[in-house]
Amino acid sequence: MRVLVAMSGGVDSSVVAGLMARAGHEVIGATLQLYDQGRSLARGRTCCAGSDIDDARRAAATLGIAHYVIDAEARFAETVIGRFADAYAQGETPVPCIACNQGVKFTDLLGMARELGCDAMATGHYVRRVDGPGGAELHRPRDAARDQSWFLAATTRDQLDYLRFPLGDYPDKATVRAEAAGLGLDIADKPDSQDICFVPDGDYAALVGRHRPEALEGGEIVDREGRVLGHHEGIARYTIGQGRRLGPAAMVAGERQAVIEVDAPRRRIVVGPRGHAGRDRLALRAMNWLIPVPPATGLEAEVQLRANETPRPARIVPGDGGAAEVELAEPALAAPGQACVIYAGGRVLGGGFIAAAPPAGLTRSTT
């Protein structure tokens, strides 16, 4: 089998390339150069630029596989960085890793793999792909601490059929590092990437300001009734549930406050008592189902609203035009722009993005 492996220069993807080669497959390594290499050299916990490309090239040489570097800077700047800044300027909290997966990785790179005549594309993500009775299924990995299924919920059924995730059955990162050492890779002890890769200094608000200056313009902090409680230094610095940067608005009438809305058109941050700031109904857009679309009566399952939170019971009602409504068993803080991923146990059933208001075409069951 000919397999293209997406190699970021990290331990995980390098091990995947080694496992595929050891299994006797014809392996082609491909590394996407996503952003300015020079800015990444000062920080060693990013990916896909600077020394990471050299690490990927060296790993491929050690494994004896072909390796190519693809210049994807312009595409990445448009589909990930630009949209990241736009989302904050619109009062949303984006998930750039999902945008990257569904843009340059699982669309462009996967398309290139098909053009090269590859039978599959493999990555170092920690998820499991299971061949079920209805086709390929996406499941949580064995190592719960490294679960990346939330970030891959936008993967389509066609993409999932083509993808392979060899690390999903590994028990922990120590085992993966031991595998890297056994393959002779000199990056076996390389630290994991943890930053937003295109913000090497960690100051995402400054990046948003360079692309969308209005997102850092000051404005009012108000309560639900519109009473001014304080002032802020840019809506890009706030997300739903946040209690920091509120100044005198952090405590009102003895109650701790939290952000409950980012009103981008009026550059207002709306706060309310933290204990009463949640919602029990959410509108979703851009739904991606990994199962047949449920009936109009809805589906009882669990949903995860943030990358590291515990799933919660909910009823999901599909709508028209890629919309859906989520009825939560209990109110929760939900930020527009974040993903809402639907699970049945460890299996991902689908996911969409939380909308600020019900999108056009949403229908609700009356039964």
Side-chain angles (χ1 to χ4, degrees):
M1 185 166 71
R2 177 180 291 177
V3 181
L4 184 140
V5 177
M7 298 181 69
S8 67
V11 179
D12 297 329
S13 59
S14 298
V15 166
V16 166
L19 294 174
M20 287 292 176
R22 192 170 67 190
H25 301 302
E26 178 189 351
V27 179
I28 300 171
T31 300
L32 295 168
Q33 180 180 316
L34 299 181
Y35 52 95
D36 181 8
Q37 298 184 43
R39 290 189 297 114
S40 73
L41 294 177
R43 294 280 289 267
R45 307 189 79 174
T46 56
C47 68
C48 302
S51 61
D52 298 307
I53 292 175
D54 294 332
D55 289 343
R57 185 181 291 117
R58 195 169 60 254
T62 299
L63 298 170
I65 65 172
H67 178 258
Y68 301 93
V69 177
I70 296 94
D71 183 356
E73 284 194 36
R75 170 82 164 144
F76 186 76
E78 174 189 356
T79 62
V80 180
I81 299 177
R83 292 179 184 176
F84 177 84
D86 290 345
Y88 270 108
Q90 294 163 8
E92 296 190 346
T93 304
V95 189
C97 291
I98 295 180
C100 181
N101 286 332
Q102 287 310 111
V104 294
K105 290 182 182 176
F106 290 175
T107 299
D108 299 352
L109 192 57
L110 190 148
M112 188 183 82
R114 292 187 190 275
E115 291 175 1
L116 290 172
C118 293
D119 301 291
M121 180 173 123
T123 79
H125 289 101
Y126 284 84
V127 292
R128 290 187 303 124
R129 176 192 176 280
V130 176
D131 287 319
E137 301 173 357
L138 184 64
H139 289 250
R140 294 188 188 274
R142 182 179 174 189
D143 183 359
R146 296 187 176 275
D147 182 5
Q148 293 177 304
S149 61
W150 187 83
F151 294 99
L152 296 184
T155 305
T156 67
R157 297 172 78 177
D158 180 64
Q159 291 168 343
L160 185 59
D161 184 63
Y162 191 72
L163 289 163
R164 301 294 185 272
F165 307 107
L167 302 186
D169 288 315
Y170 275 64
D172 51 43
K173 187 58 176 273
T175 306
V176 176
R177 291 191 184 280
E179 194 80 74
L183 290 165
L185 299 172
D186 63 5
I187 57 171
D189 295 323
K190 183 177 180 178
D192 293 336
S193 59
Q194 294 185 350
D195 301 299
I196 296 177
C197 68
F198 54 89
V199 191
D201 62 0
D203 190 355
Y204 75 89
L207 179 139
V208 172
R210 289 194 294 273
H211 289 263
R212 298 292 300 269
E214 70 275 19
L216 292 188
E217 293 178 3
E220 298 171 335
I221 300 176
V222 302
D223 62 14
R224 296 176 190 268
E225 286 70 43
R227 290 187 290 264
V228 177
L229 304 176
H231 294 82
H232 65 81
E233 297 180 352
I235 62 172
R237 303 181 190 278
Y238 296 85
T239 186
I240 302 300
Q242 182 174 322
R244 299 179 296 105
R245 294 182 179 271
L246 297 181
M251 189 74 72
V252 176
E255 288 191 275
R256 190 169 298 280
Q257 306 291 294
V259 176
I260 60 173
E261 180 186 353
V262 179
D263 184 348
R266 292 189 286 183
R267 296 206 312 275
R268 279 183 160 185
I269 299 299
V270 184
V271 299
R274 185 170 187 84
H276 306 282
R279 291 187 288 162
D280 59 7
R281 291 180 182 269
L282 309 175
L284 304 185
R285 55 178 171 79
M287 275 297 304
N288 175 59
W289 289 103
L290 291 175
I291 59 173
V293 177
T297 51
L299 169 72
E300 300 290 337
E302 291 186 315
V303 297
Q304 187 171 323
L305 306 180
R306 295 178 185 267
N308 298 311
E309 76 163 19
T310 301
R312 61 189 72 228
R315 181 169 175 262
I316 304 91
V317 181
D320 298 329
E325 183 171 300
V326 177
E327 302 170 359
L328 299 171
E330 296 181 358
L333 292 168
Q338 288 282 290
C340 173
V341 179
I342 305 163
Y343 291 89
R347 182 184 177 185
V348 178
L349 304 183
F353 294 93
I354 300 168
L362 182 66
T363 59
R364 288 193 57 197
S365 168
T366 57
T367 60

